[in-house]
Amino acid sequence: MVGAALLVRVEAKRGKETAVADFLESALSLVQEEPDTTAWFALRFGPATFGIFDAFPDDAGRQAHLAGKVAQALMARADELFVAHPTITKVDVLASTLPG
């Protein structure tokens, strides 16, 4: 069951689109170490617009993720890769279906 989620959007700097895609793909291994991250998706909305959607059982799981390695790496590289700092929106999950 999931009840909390995050939607993160970032805009890559010109010429950094591939670096952003690579960074997001590489983050998967870090997320897999987080027991309360129920679902995690790295997204590409357009040529330079990317995002992350992740879901958690509750707000404690969401807060743990926000204090985790992926969030730290994202913020550490923000000035290098993104036009502006990531837009992070906390959302409540009203209904979901997940395998298993």
Side-chain angles (χ1 to χ4, degrees):
M1 173 111 187
V2 296
L6 293 168
L7 178 60
V8 180
R9 291 184 65 112
V10 296
E11 187 78 22
K13 287 184 175 179
R14 186 180 190 109
K16 296 290 185 177
E17 298 86 355
T18 300
V20 171
D22 291 346
F23 169 78
L24 291 175
E25 290 173 13
S26 73
L28 177 61
S29 63
L30 296 174
V31 172
Q32 290 172 327
E33 297 174 12
E34 298 178 354
D36 286 335
T37 301
T38 305
W40 185 87
F41 301 90
L43 311 167
R44 187 172 206 157
F45 297 108
T49 307
F50 297 85
I52 298 170
F53 178 80
D54 34 19
F56 316 92
D58 52 30
D59 189 56
R62 177 169 54 197
Q63 291 304 119
H65 178 74
L66 285 170
K69 293 178 183 178
V70 174
Q72 291 172 4
L74 187 73
M75 298 315 276
R77 298 197 62 197
D79 290 339
E80 170 196 352
L81 297 175
F82 310 131
V83 172
H85 278 269
T87 301
I88 301 172
T89 306
K90 293 180 180 180
V91 297
D92 295 328
V93 177
L94 301 178
S96 65
T97 182
L98 296 168

